[in-house]
Amino acid sequence: MKLLNKLTILACLFIGALASCESPDLAEGRTDQVNGLLNVTIKIPGNPAEYSATKKGPYEENEEITVKVPTTDDAPLDLTRLMCTVSLEHNCYMENPFKGETDFTNPVFVTVIDVNGNKHHNTIRILPTPPKTRFSKLWDKNAVELNIVSRNITGLAINAQGLNVQEYDGKIYRYDMKTGSSVTTIEAARSFMMKADTDDAGHLVTARDNTYGAGFMVYYYDETKKEHILLLDYTAGDGCPDDLGYEFSVIGDVTSGKAFIYGMAPGMMTIYYWELQDGELVTPANQPNTLRYGPAGGNWDRAQVQRASLDDDSDHYLSFYSPSTADEDDETQEGKKGSRFHIFSPYMEVTEMNPQSHAYKILDFKVFTVNNDVFVAFIEQGYTAWANARVKVFEITKRSMMELSPEDDGYDKFCLFSGDEIAPTNYNRWGDIAVYKEATSTGYDIYIASTIVGYDTNESRIRMYKMNYYPQ
């Protein structure tokens, strides 16, 4: 009886299935292939890479389709020999299909016929596109060639007036950033001036190191009045730590609106900073805001800091250097100490750059943004005082890239540039870097100046690089 019931149920299911399929509606759910062209792909003969249109189809009638194909000065793109492949909807076809190589010196007209016999017209334009970044060295001069009196080239800043060089406890020397030729000299604001920076409005800002009880003092230079204006005076008597001002940075316009001044000192793990409003201190000079940076794990030998934005919840960029004699024989070993580059949030969420990506010492860094892409430039040096030093530039827009090591796939998209190496005798671990951005008709030119302090005026030198940026 149970078997009969099962057979009856199966028979009903089978009849139901036949009933549901006996009158299919072929038109139901059908989509006419009336758009025709869906995508365009270009290849360079002999190169396996494929380059797709900047916009996928379907395309409007007479719409121009652009394909960006890489070109360089060393290997300029030959527009006369390109291979084009098109993606079409089912049952659509080209009136004159591409065969082999095609000349794209001028835009190429294409006609696609859809399933109903209608014609669709478009043009395909090839846009030779340089790589997003390209680097070149503009000039390289030592202190003798720059007519700087001493070897102590400790501060660099670039603004519209040129490259400004603060000689430690000396003058400010101004040069043409593109040629290195002398423009003028400016008397320093006070004695023991050490570092230089520019604010967001392009003001030259210089800082005094608290040595011999001099205090940490910060000035901006008024280009109209030709005089230095005091912004901050944190005296030794008010508790200013020794050597505060070895490193400093500013953000905002120090004469208008909100701005911040940051000061750093060796032999501690604390960041000092002051807020300004319209050129006046909001934070009392003798009551600085402080941030003890626990992730450093102990007192650093040297550190640099940069605030990412004026927002209250801004991230910060920080480099700190904590050496160990255990690394003397192998400064690249796993677990080495030395410098670390961190990005940290107000909630102490820390992103660390893989230490294998940079040298043992980061002497200075500068983070800069171009067209919403974020970059960091280092002046770095190896373990010893006479080790090789050089400039490196990384793109850190995607912070996950900071985890990469030089052996990882995609590292060339992260580490964009390594400059020429030099080997100064740099016992003080002094170095500085400055960046200036200039808009061009094709994108931006970014000028990157670095200094390294050597044993004498022949070893101490400034190098100027240019980074060309092309929006992609």
Side-chain angles (χ1 to χ4, degrees):
M1 187 66 180
K2 289 182 180 180
L3 178 60
L4 180 60
N5 288 339
K6 287 182 179 180
L7 291 174
T8 302
I9 293 170
L10 289 173
C12 291
L13 290 173
F14 181 69
I15 294 170
L18 288 177
S20 66
C21 299
E22 66 180 357
S23 300
D25 184 354
L26 297 178
E28 194 172 291
R30 174 186 171 186
T31 301
D32 286 341
Q33 290 86 35
V34 296
N35 291 306
L37 185 58
L38 296 180
N39 201 7
V40 175
T41 303
I42 297 293
K43 289 183 65 174
I44 302 170
N47 187 334
E50 296 183 345
Y51 307 98
S52 296
T54 56
K55 172 189 171 185
K56 289 186 176 182
Y59 302 101
E60 299 293 331
E61 178 67 12
N62 295 318
E63 182 177 354
E64 184 174 86
I65 302 163
T66 301
V67 184
K68 294 182 177 180
V69 182
T71 186
T72 63
D73 291 340
D74 297 333
L77 180 65
D78 184 356
L79 289 170
T80 66
R81 298 184 59 235
L82 296 175
M83 302 176 69
C84 183
T85 302
V86 296
S87 298
L88 306 175
E89 285 187 305
H90 187 59
N91 290 327
C92 300
Y93 62 95
M94 283 189 65
E95 192 171 70
N96 295 299
F98 290 107
K99 295 179 181 179
E101 297 175 2
T102 302
D103 185 348
F104 280 93
T105 303
N106 297 307
V108 172
F109 295 89
V110 294
T111 300
V112 173
I113 301 172
D114 66 25
V115 70
N116 295 326
N118 299 315
K119 293 186 176 182
H120 303 263
H121 306 91
N122 296 101
T123 56
I124 302 172
R125 179 187 295 274
I126 305 303
L127 184 62
T129 305
K132 184 162 73 172
T133 59
R134 186 170 59 195
F135 294 83
S136 58
K137 184 167 69 176
L138 295 184
W139 53 270
D140 179 359
K141 296 183 180 183
N142 63 27
V144 175
E145 295 167 312
L146 293 166
N147 293 314
I148 298 176
V149 176
S150 77
R151 67 186 179 93
N152 295 322
I153 309 172
T154 53
L156 297 180
I158 313 176
N159 58 9
Q161 286 72 36
L163 169 66
N164 303 276
V165 181
Q166 174 67 67
E167 176 192 16
Y168 182 58
D169 197 23
K171 295 181 179 180
I172 298 170
Y173 298 78
R174 181 170 283 174
Y175 302 91
D176 184 302
M177 76 180 84
K178 300 177 183 179
T179 66
S181 59
S182 178
V183 175
T184 189
T185 58
I186 302 169
E187 291 299 322
R190 293 291 294 269
S191 60
F192 300 116
M193 300 302 290
M194 181 167 186
K195 287 293 184 178
D197 200 358
T198 51
D199 70 2
D200 293 348
H203 296 109
L204 170 62
V205 185
T206 53
R208 184 188 200 185
D209 165 40
N210 182 28
T211 189
Y212 305 120
F216 176 47
M217 304 180 76
V218 179
Y219 294 82
Y220 83 89
Y221 185 67
D222 189 312
E223 298 285 348
T224 302
K225 296 179 180 179
K226 304 298 181 186
E227 64 180 28
H228 297 277
I229 310 297
L230 180 66
L231 293 169
L232 170 66
D233 183 6
Y234 184 25
T235 67
D238 282 333
C240 180
D242 290 343
D243 293 320
L244 188 67
Y246 246 51
E247 303 288 350
F248 96 114
S249 64
V250 296
I251 185 173
D253 181 345
V254 298
T255 69
S256 177
K258 182 190 288 189
F260 290 92
I261 296 173
Y262 281 75
M264 304 292 279
M268 59 172 57
M269 52 191 296
T270 301
I271 299 168
Y272 291 76
Y273 66 101
W274 292 259
E275 182 179 343
L276 296 88
Q277 183 68 40
D278 297 329
E280 300 293 332
L281 287 173
V282 174
T283 308
N286 62 352
Q287 299 175 36
N289 300 300
T290 59
L291 191 161
R292 185 170 173 82
Y293 191 69
N299 290 346
W300 48 59
D301 178 279
R302 199 65 52 85
Q304 304 85 26
V305 69
Q306 182 180 338
R307 189 184 182 102
S309 74
L310 294 173
D311 297 340
D312 292 339
D313 59 350
S314 172
D315 288 346
H316 287 75
Y317 307 103
L318 176 72
S319 171
F320 57 92
Y321 172 61
S322 304
S324 171
T325 55
D327 300 324
E328 185 173 3
D329 295 330
D330 184 3
E331 61 186 271
T332 64
Q333 64 182 304
E334 190 80 17
K336 68 175 182 178
K337 291 185 73 67
S339 284
R340 295 292 186 270
F341 178 74
H342 286 182
I343 305 174
F344 67 91
S345 75
Y347 315 105
M348 280 302 160
E349 300 162 329
V350 178
T351 303
E352 178 177 286
M353 181 181 289
N354 190 322
Q356 297 299 325
S357 288
H358 55 76
Y360 198 80
K361 298 192 290 277
I362 298 173
L363 303 176
D364 192 29
F365 74 86
K366 184 68 73 175
V367 176
F368 57 100
T369 300
V370 188
N371 205 35
N372 295 320
D373 290 326
V374 184
F375 305 88
V376 60
F378 290 163
I379 175 68
E380 61 174 32
Q381 189 176 19
Y383 178 87
T384 66
W386 50 90
N388 283 334
R390 64 182 173 187
V391 169
K392 276 187 179 177
V393 179
F394 300 86
E395 181 174 352
I396 57 173
T397 310
K398 296 179 180 178
R399 294 183 180 179
S400 59
M401 298 286 280
M402 290 170 56
E403 301 174 2
L404 296 179
S405 72
E407 293 77 28
D408 290 331
D409 291 339
Y411 187 76
D412 60 325
K413 305 296 184 185
F414 169 54
C415 183
L416 305 179
F417 175 72
S418 292
D420 298 337
E421 292 185 334
I422 56 174
T425 307
N426 183 18
Y427 288 105
N428 289 330
R429 298 175 296 285
W430 281 350
D432 206 16
I433 200 158
V435 173
Y436 182 77
K437 182 173 64 175
E438 187 175 76
T440 69
S441 59
T442 57
Y444 292 89
D445 287 343
I446 297 89
Y447 295 87
I448 303 171
S450 70
T451 181
I452 191 81
V453 177
Y455 179 76
D456 55 28
T457 51
N458 288 297
E459 278 196 354
S460 294
R461 61 194 317 110
I462 295 173
R463 286 183 168 177
M464 180 69 76
Y465 294 98
K466 184 169 75 170
M467 171 179 142
N468 303 109
Y469 176 93
Y470 302 95
Q472 300 294 295

